[in-house]
Amino acid sequence: MVVTELPFLLSIAALSLSLAGLAGLVAGLRHGDGLRPIDRFRLREIVEFAFANALLALSVVPLATLTGSVETAVRIVGIAAAAYLLVVVVILYRRLRTADIAMTTWVRIAAFLDLLIVIATLAVIVTGSLAVLQVMLILFLARPMVAFLFVLASLDGDESGA
């Protein structure tokens, strides 16, 4: 089974892992200055989403080979993404409460992105479309990218969490 979109999938995986590496670098550089709870929260979720996205993107090819169907592989990846999102939303909500992080602009943007990801994920499961999967993977990549922008903004002294 040949997945013709392999370069796209590998690019998503590479971008995701690069983002995780950047988050680790920022965490390491900020360690001496200390990180605010919101920054620790964001950096952790950046790495978690990035790793999940890389695994989702990379799993399409072996699943297509194992099942003999790209459509089936795409649906399986969609189901895995839905399961991941369900678990991670619960975990992130608990972390927000434990760290006493207020509803900031970031939390609202993240919730909106999560909603878009849920819609895309359901569409992947229903359609089995590789094109829809690509949109879902881009949204999964956008989630930690936006969080990273907020972390970078905090380096400039923006203490509002916005």
Side-chain angles (χ1 to χ4, degrees), residues 40-63:
R40 277 193 305 277
F41 176 86
R42 288 177 184 150
L43 289 170
R44 283 182 74 180
E45 74 176 322
I46 289 167
V47 173
E48 291 164 357
F49 265 89
F51 283 172
N53 201 32
L55 288 173
L56 292 170
L58 292 173
S59 65
V60 174
V61 174
L63 286 171

Side-chain angles (χ1 to χ4, degrees), residues 1 17 19 78 81 100 102 108 125 135 138 140 148-149 154-155:
M1 180 66 40
L17 294 175
L19 192 56
D100 197 27
R108 290 181 189 93
I125 294 167
V135 170
I138 289 170
F140 256 93
F148 195 73
L149 292 175
S154 75
L155 297 176

Side-chain angles (χ1 to χ4, degrees), residues 13-157:
L15 287 168
S16 296
L17 294 175
S18 296
L19 192 56
L22 284 172
L25 178 63
V26 168
L29 292 175
R30 294 285 306 263
H31 186 68
D33 297 337
L35 290 168
R36 296 178 304 145
I38 187 73
D39 291 328
R40 277 193 305 277
F41 176 86
R42 288 177 184 150
L43 289 170
R44 283 182 74 180
E45 74 176 322
I46 289 167
V47 173
E48 291 164 357
F49 265 89
F51 283 172
N53 201 32
L55 288 173
L56 292 170
L58 292 173
S59 65
V60 174
V61 174
L63 286 171
T65 302
L66 287 169
T67 64
S69 166
V70 173
E71 186 177 306
T72 301
V74 166
R75 283 194 166 108
I76 292 169
V77 170
I79 291 167
Y84 170 76
L85 196 58
L86 179 66
V87 170
V88 83
V89 164
V90 170
I91 291 169
L92 292 176
Y93 179 74
R94 284 185 180 167
R95 283 185 198 156
L96 279 173
R97 289 182 50 140
T98 302
D100 197 27
I101 296 171
M103 284 294 289
T104 62
T105 302
W106 159 242
V107 175
R108 290 181 189 93
I109 291 171
F112 177 72
L113 284 170
D114 289 344
L115 178 62
L116 291 177
I117 292 169
V118 166
I119 292 167
T121 301
L122 291 175
V124 166
I125 294 167
V126 169
T127 66
S129 166
L130 195 52
V132 178
L133 176 73
Q134 290 172 334
V135 170
M136 184 200 79
L137 292 172
I138 289 170
L139 289 170
F140 256 93
L141 183 59
R143 179 70 158 69
M145 283 181 155
V146 172
F148 195 73
L149 292 175
F150 277 87
V151 171
L152 291 178
S154 75
L155 297 176
D156 292 333

